[in-house]
Amino acid sequence: MALEVFSRREQKYLITRQQYDLLVEMMGPYMRYDKFGNQGRYTVTSLYVENPEHKIYYEVKNKLKFRQKLRLRIYNDTDLSGTAFFEVKQKHNNVVNKRRTAIPLIQAYHYLDSSYEQASPIYYDVSNPQIMKEIDYFREYYDLSPEMVVSYDRHAFHCITDPDLRVTFDLNLRCRNEDLRIENGAYGQNFIDPDLVVLEVKVTHSVPLWLARILQSLECEQRSASKFCTSLELLKGEILPVQNDGIKEAVLVGGR
């Protein structure tokens, strides 16, 4: 059973493929592959929801002290009978909280396609009914509907001695809004230069000294890299403000 409720701090970096290769090699004595996927490699495909005023986008873009978003996520290839996850990601004072529940993908689509009156959370076969109720409240409060699909190839690691330390590398970041069926595969426009990698260091308290030294030696700089905002800006064009948080030069490469 996948973890349904967890809290942690996340540090994000935008690094080159060369830095990625070196970092994986230098982390070797301290890290092991994530237990999921093939040597920690798997594909993540998420359907994000938004409202007509792009309220979620502006909360994230403006870095409100408390902000949240809702997505429907699958791992690798999944058909309609497979398992998906509704996930609410909340950020408060730089601490990330995630609450998610498993649900059959076909039921998830039924829920999103139904009106609030028809889509009672008690009708669905979920792993955590309480979280589904919270998701239902969130969806109705923000008037959310499917907006876009974001996908990427992930390479994930766990620390051998500290189970709370996790490091992930996201490659081939793509987005689309013309086909919102996530079982149709991980494809779309690159919203970050394909030669760049999003690195996330996920910890409960602080980054260990050995990892901080490796990141410093490779000149890995922390950069804000919101997949949600950057992909939405690409897909919406001039409707939304241009990204200006350090990855502007990486946006739209391969997309225009």
Side-chain angles (χ1 to χ4, degrees):
M1 177 65 67
L3 193 64
E4 293 181 326
V5 181
F6 50 97
S7 177
R8 65 194 179 201
R9 295 182 181 275
E10 294 183 354
Q11 294 185 2
K12 290 187 177 183
Y13 304 77
L14 196 64
I15 63 176
T16 65
R17 293 267 184 160
Q18 183 181 20
Q19 288 173 309
Y20 155 64
D21 291 334
L22 291 171
L23 186 51
V24 169
E25 180 181 352
M26 296 174 72
M27 291 192 315
Y30 308 94
M31 306 292 286
R32 61 170 176 81
Y33 294 126
D34 190 285
K35 63 182 179 180
F36 298 105
N38 179 14
Q39 295 188 323
R41 299 178 186 272
Y42 52 89
T43 300
V44 180
T45 305
S46 301
L47 172 63
Y48 281 91
V49 296
E50 177 61 288
N51 71 4
E53 293 76 33
H54 301 107
K55 187 173 183 179
I56 302 296
Y57 167 83
Y58 284 110
E59 286 185 0
V60 177
K61 183 73 174 180
N62 295 328
K63 301 184 186 301
L64 299 191
K65 287 187 177 180
F66 177 80
R67 52 193 187 269
Q68 57 186 340
K69 49 182 175 279
L70 172 63
R71 59 198 177 200
L72 177 67
R73 170 167 290 185
I74 60 172
Y75 298 92
N76 295 323
D77 296 327
T78 303
D79 58 24
L80 286 174
S81 63
T83 300
F85 297 88
F86 269 127
E87 182 176 273
V88 175
K89 182 176 182 180
Q90 301 169 326
K91 192 167 186 178
H92 178 63
N93 289 335
N94 295 319
V95 176
V96 173
N97 297 288
K98 289 186 181 180
R99 304 175 65 78
R100 67 179 180 181
T101 181
I103 183 173
L105 181 56
I106 192 170
Q107 291 190 22
Y109 284 142
H110 181 274
Y111 170 75
L112 292 173
D113 290 340
S114 301
S115 65
Y116 302 131
E117 294 78 11
Q118 297 172 326
S120 173
I122 65 173
Y123 296 147
Y124 299 96
D125 182 20
V126 297
S127 61
N128 192 314
Q130 176 57 39
I131 293 178
M132 188 64 187
K133 290 180 182 178
E134 296 172 15
I135 290 169
D136 188 58
Y137 173 81
F138 181 29
R139 177 195 171 209
E140 182 173 4
Y141 179 80
Y142 278 87
D143 187 25
L144 299 172
S145 59
E147 176 72 36
M148 65 180 175
V149 173
V150 172
S151 58
Y152 44 87
D153 301 320
R154 171 161 285 183
H155 198 190
F157 298 81
H158 269 103
C159 183
I160 296 172
T161 58
D162 180 4
D164 291 331
L165 172 61
R166 189 164 184 256
V167 176
T168 62
F169 302 91
D170 296 335
L171 305 92
N172 303 320
L173 294 102
R174 295 148 290 184
C175 63
R176 66 178 191 263
N177 59 5
E178 76 284 358
D179 172 15
L180 300 182
R181 306 288 292 198
I182 52 180
E183 75 276 14
N184 288 345
Y187 73 91
Q189 295 175 280
N190 291 105
F191 60 89
I192 289 179
D193 190 314
D195 291 327
L196 297 177
V197 178
V198 174
L199 160 64
E200 296 184 10
V201 178
K202 307 171 186 186
V203 294
T204 302
H205 300 292
S206 60
V207 176
L209 182 59
W210 65 263
L211 181 55
R213 286 174 172 169
I214 292 175
L215 293 170
Q216 184 178 25
S217 70
L218 294 178
E219 299 182 343
C220 298
E221 298 181 4
Q222 281 188 248
R223 298 190 188 184
S224 174
S226 169
K227 301 182 184 77
F228 177 79
C229 288
T230 309
S231 55
L232 197 60
E233 287 165 1
L234 170 61
L235 294 170
K236 292 295 184 179
E238 296 179 356
I239 296 176
L240 296 174
V242 175
Q243 182 76 285
N244 60 1
D245 59 4
I247 61 173
K248 180 178 179 181
E249 73 280 2
V251 179
L252 305 183
V253 175
R256 286 186 179 175

